[in-house]
Amino acid sequence: MTDNPYASYPRITVLPVQPGDPPFRIVEIDGEVIGRATAMTDVLIAAAAAGIHIHDLDDPAVVRWVGGGKLSWRPR
């Protein structure tokens, strides 16, 4: 058995949309807040900076979207 702390959780979590100008979502990588994202591309850039290559933003093993999926960027 391998001791992989990410075996059951994706390394990237994108939290719900927050009101702002523009609206944004907080992005966590490995449980640490790394910044804000205002679009999908910001998530991809943050992942790349952390050395994570994302091939499918819809893969729940890679990215956990909280409070809406990759197309949700406006507050409800």
Side-chain angles (χ1 to χ4, degrees), residues 57-73:
L57 283 168
D58 291 322
D59 183 352
V62 178
V63 181
R64 178 176 174 232
W65 297 93
V66 181
K70 67 182 182 187
L71 299 177
S72 297
W73 295 95

Side-chain angles (χ1 to χ4, degrees), residues 12 22 24 40 51 58 74:
I12 302 169
F24 64 92
M40 278 186 284
D58 291 322
R74 300 250 179 241

Side-chain angles (χ1 to χ4, degrees), residues 2 8 26-28 34 45 51 53 55-56 60 62-63 68 70 73:
T2 326
S8 58
I26 299 295
V27 179
E28 296 179 350
I34 56 94
I45 291 167
H53 301 285
H55 298 286
D56 183 1
V62 178
V63 181
K70 67 182 182 187
W73 295 95

Side-chain angles (χ1 to χ4, degrees), residues 2-65:
T2 326
D3 291 327
N4 182 352
Y6 310 111
S8 58
Y9 295 99
R11 294 184 64 190
I12 302 169
T13 301
V14 183
L15 299 174
V17 178
Q18 301 298 310
D21 189 20
F24 64 92
R25 298 175 80 164
I26 299 295
V27 179
E28 296 179 350
I29 295 181
D30 297 335
E32 289 187 40
V33 173
I34 56 94
R36 297 177 174 196
T38 58
M40 278 186 284
T41 53
D42 295 335
V43 176
L44 293 169
I45 291 167
I52 302 168
H53 301 285
I54 299 176
H55 298 286
D56 183 1
L57 283 168
D58 291 322
D59 183 352
V62 178
V63 181
R64 178 176 174 232
W65 297 93

